[in-house]
């Protein structure tokens, strides 16, 4: 009989992995965010970029993610175009 990991075991494992990742990222210099976090900040960040303002403290994380993630960088670029177009 197959005795693999139960789904509870899997969840516990995931939990531990997430916690390890969180601990690891706490030690890095910049607080890193994932794509979902970036998306939730993107509208605000795009406006800052479209206006050419300095990046405020709360959006520095978005700025860091933009540098790391080509996918989000592209999405942001498209949104910045739209936002700056709407302002013209
Ligand atoms: Zn991303």
């Amino acid at each position: 009989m197959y005795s693999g990991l139960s789904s509870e075991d899997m969840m516990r494992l995931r939990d531990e992995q997430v916690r390890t990742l969180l601990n690891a990222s706490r030690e890095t210099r910049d607080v890193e965010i994932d794509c979902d976090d970036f998306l939730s900040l993107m509208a605000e960040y795009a406006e800052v970029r479209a206006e050419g303002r300095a990046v405020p403290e709360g959006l520095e994380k978005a700025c860091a993610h933009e540098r790391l993630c080509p996918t989000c960088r592209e999405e942001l670029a498209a949104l910045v175009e739209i936002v700056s177009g709407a302002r013209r």
Side-chain angles (χ1 to χ4, degrees):
M1 194 184 151
Y2 176 67
S3 62
L5 293 170
S6 71
S7 59
E8 256 177 69
D9 285 336
M10 291 292 283
M11 283 220 281
R12 206 174 309 130
L13 205 63
R14 257 180 58 89
D15 240 37
E16 274 165 28
Q17 283 172 340
V18 168
R19 219 167 292 140
T20 308
L21 284 173
L22 285 177
N23 284 336
S25 70
R26 220 169 273 145
E27 282 161 25
T28 59
R29 191 170 43 86
D30 292 316
V31 184
E32 285 180 24
I33 59 172
D34 61 22
C35 296
D36 282 343
D37 291 330
F38 183 81
L39 286 179
S40 70
L41 294 170
M42 193 163 75
E44 208 182 334
Y45 186 50
E47 278 203 28
V48 171
R49 294 290 301 267
E51 290 172 7
R53 283 191 279 141
V55 178
E57 217 170 290
L59 291 175
E60 276 171 359
K61 295 186 290 255
C63 190
H65 186 79
E66 182 200 356
R67 263 180 278 135
L68 294 172
C69 181
T71 314
C72 289
R73 191 158 56 224
E74 265 179 42
E75 292 216 20
L76 177 76
L79 187 60
V80 170
E81 289 249 316
I82 294 166
V83 174
S84 29
R87 270 161 205 282
R88 233 171 266 138

